[in-house]
Amino acid sequence: MKILITGANGQVGHCLQQQLLDSNIPFIAVTREQLDITDAHAVEQLLQTEQPTIVINAAAHTAVDKAETDQDNAFAINRDGIANLARISANIGAAVFHISTDYVFDGEKDSPYSEHDATNPQGVYGHSKLAGEQAAAAANPRHIILRTAWVFGEHGNNFVKTMIRLGRTKDALGIVADQQGSPTYAGDIAKVLIILADIYSNSGELPWGIYHYAGAPHTNWHSFAQAIFQQVEASGIYEKPVPALSAITTADYPTPAKRPANSRLDCKKIEDAFGIPPSDWQTALNNIRAYAG
C-alpha cells in the first residue's frame, strides 16, 4: 500500500503525516504549493508518477465566511479539485478517501444527522462541499466520504486555539450557546482514515460510501469553551485568570455565512461497520499546552 495525501499543511493532513511516520505504510504528502488539485494535468502527472493505492484528500477551502464572496474559488477547490483526484485515482485503480462536513445539512433537524438524512446546505461552503461529495462518488466507485464537524488540533487554526489566544488578553468573552455540534479531534480523524486504509490494504475491499465521524458527547460552543478554559486554568498556561464566559445567541454574533443550529452527527454507521467509536474530544483537550503554541 502507498498513500498520497493532499492538503498536507492542514489540520488532518498534518496529523496523518505524524501518524504514518510511526507506521510502516509508505506515503507521500503534498501541500497546496506542491499540488494545485484544481489543475487536472498536474494531478494526473503526480498520480501517474507515484501510483498510490489510496488518495486521501485533506485539501479544502474551509474559510466559511470568505466563501460567500469567493464562490468560484470555493467550488474550484471543494468540487473540481476532488473531482480531479477521484477521476484520476479511478483511472489508475486507486481508491479515494475524502473529508467532508456537517455543513451539507441545514441544521434544522432536532436530533443528530445520519448518512441517510436529506442534505440542504445553507451557504456557499456547504454547497461546494456537497458538490464535491457528489463528484467523488460519481468519478470513483471506490470512495469513502468522511463527514466530520468542529475539527480542532494542535496544528492550524481552530476554535480551541482561538479561545486560548483570546483568553490571554480578554477578561470576558461572549460565546454562542444555541448551536449544537460534535467537536472532533483532528488526530482521531487521521487515525480513522489510516484504519480504513489498513483494512482496504489487507482485504482489497471496503463497504464504500458516506460515513459520519465526529466527537461525543455533543455540546455547544459555549460549553465547549468552558471545557477548554477549565483545562487552561488547571494547566497554569496564563499568568492571569481565565476570562468570564457568557452565553450569547447566534443573532448576537452575526456572520456572513449561516451556521447550522444543529451540527450533531450520528456516528452509528461507522461504529457498526468497523467498530470505530466517536472521537473523544474531552480527552483530546487534556494536553491543552500543545494547543497553546
Side-chain angles (χ1 to χ4, degrees), residues 191-216:
K191 187 182 300 181
V192 167
L193 291 167
I194 293 170
I195 288 170
L196 297 180
D198 197 48
I199 293 170
Y200 178 55
S201 176
N202 289 329
S203 68
E205 195 52 68
L206 276 174
W208 306 107
I210 297 172
Y211 292 88
H212 288 176
Y213 179 74

Side-chain angles (χ1 to χ4, degrees), residues 55-156:
V55 174
I56 299 180
N57 181 40
H61 186 297
T62 57
V64 174
D65 289 325
K66 186 179 179 183
E68 294 298 306
T69 54
D70 193 22
Q71 181 169 337
D72 289 347
N73 198 33
F75 273 89
I77 297 169
N78 292 342
R79 178 195 61 199
D80 304 339
I82 180 58
N84 290 334
L85 291 166
R87 183 183 69 256
I88 296 163
S89 63
N91 290 344
I92 65 168
V96 65
F97 294 1
H98 176 59
I99 302 168
S100 193
T101 175
D102 55 299
Y103 276 68
V104 300
F105 299 112
D106 58 20
E108 299 299 321
K109 189 181 177 185
D110 60 5
S111 59
Y113 282 95
S114 79
E115 294 85 350
H116 303 294
D117 285 317
T119 54
N120 186 28
Q122 298 295 292
V124 170
Y125 170 69
H127 277 288
S128 68
K129 290 296 288 183
L130 178 59
E133 289 186 7
Q134 294 165 342
N140 192 334
R142 286 182 295 228
H143 64 270
I144 293 289
I145 294 165
L146 197 70
R147 290 181 183 149
T148 190
W150 294 20
V151 180
F152 70 94
E154 298 89 348
H155 182 80

